[in-house]
Amino acid sequence: MIARALAILAILAIASGVARADAPVVTAVAADPSDVSAAILVGPGGQVYAPDGHGAWARTSAGGIASGATSAARAGGDVLAAGNALYLWKDGAWSVTPLPQKGAPIIGVGPAAAAAIGAAIVVRGAKGWTRVPDLSPAPTSVWAASETQVVAISGGVVWRLRGKAFVRGGPATALAPGPRALAIAGAQVIDVSANRAIKAGGEVLAATSAG
């Protein structure tokens, strides 16, 4: 547990640029909830940094995202990054992933690839991208396990897809990455699937699930 915590702190230090004065700029962390040491760091131009197996980070790609990467996430075995479009990291290079809705996407943080583009939410399944019911105002965070298991934050409230419509929940600010839908809400984390609150000793800044 201590080793995992130190690894997370190291990633956050690099991402914030405080690890050392000449540290490269990193704008996103594509974390693996089951193994923090397998995280991938992404720079603003799509630069990719990965653990070299010897306790250091090595740049494996010089870039390839002209519009600037603002976020990144893992979805299964894929690494996705968002700028003015959605990009997929595969075979050592970035490629644009066409979506059924145009616009700058917000990447989902669940086990299934998902994105919000304005009020539209799309989820990738076996047959490609599927658009689920819209949410307004535009979602600020999305989590999906499938086309039927979708959770989003809209208007400072958590919403859960039930059939063909989203059902309103309580106040929340963000969804945590991982296989379970966890919503951050002040001094507690809400397990959306189990409909229960996990209280913390103070304001929750970040969370993740690992099974």
Side-chain angles (χ1 to χ4, degrees):
M1 181 62 73
I2 294 175
R4 283 177 176 266
L6 290 175
I8 291 172
L9 288 174
I11 291 172
L12 292 178
I14 293 172
S16 64
V18 300
R20 64 177 195 271
D22 61 342
V25 176
V26 173
T27 58
V29 178
D32 184 343
S34 64
D35 183 5
V36 71
S37 66
I40 292 176
L41 311 181
V42 180
Q47 300 90 341
V48 175
Y49 304 87
D52 65 359
H54 302 287
W57 296 89
R59 192 175 76 174
T60 60
S61 172
I65 298 178
S67 61
T70 57
S71 60
R74 287 182 181 270
D78 292 337
V79 175
L80 301 170
N84 288 340
L86 187 65
Y87 297 86
L88 172 66
W89 174 254
K90 190 174 183 178
D91 298 329
W94 293 104
S95 60
V96 175
T97 298
L99 295 173
Q101 178 74 13
K102 293 183 178 180
I106 293 174
I107 300 178
V109 294
I117 310 99
I121 300 174
V122 294
V123 181
R124 189 180 66 185
K127 297 182 179 180
W129 293 95
T130 298
R131 185 168 174 172
V132 301
D134 292 357
L135 264 178
S136 184
T140 55
S141 186
V142 179
W143 177 98
S146 69
E147 299 98 316
T148 59
Q149 300 179 68
V150 182
V151 178
I153 302 294
S154 172
V157 173
V158 61
W159 299 80
R160 182 179 181 183
L161 184 62
R162 293 278 184 86
K164 297 183 178 181
F166 279 95
V167 176
R168 182 186 178 102
T173 56
L175 294 166
R180 294 186 67 81
L182 301 179
I184 298 172
Q188 62 184 6
V189 173
I190 301 170
D191 187 331
V192 180
S193 300
N195 193 29
R196 69 186 181 95
I198 305 168
K199 294 184 179 180
E203 191 79 7
V204 179
L205 302 179
T208 188
S209 62

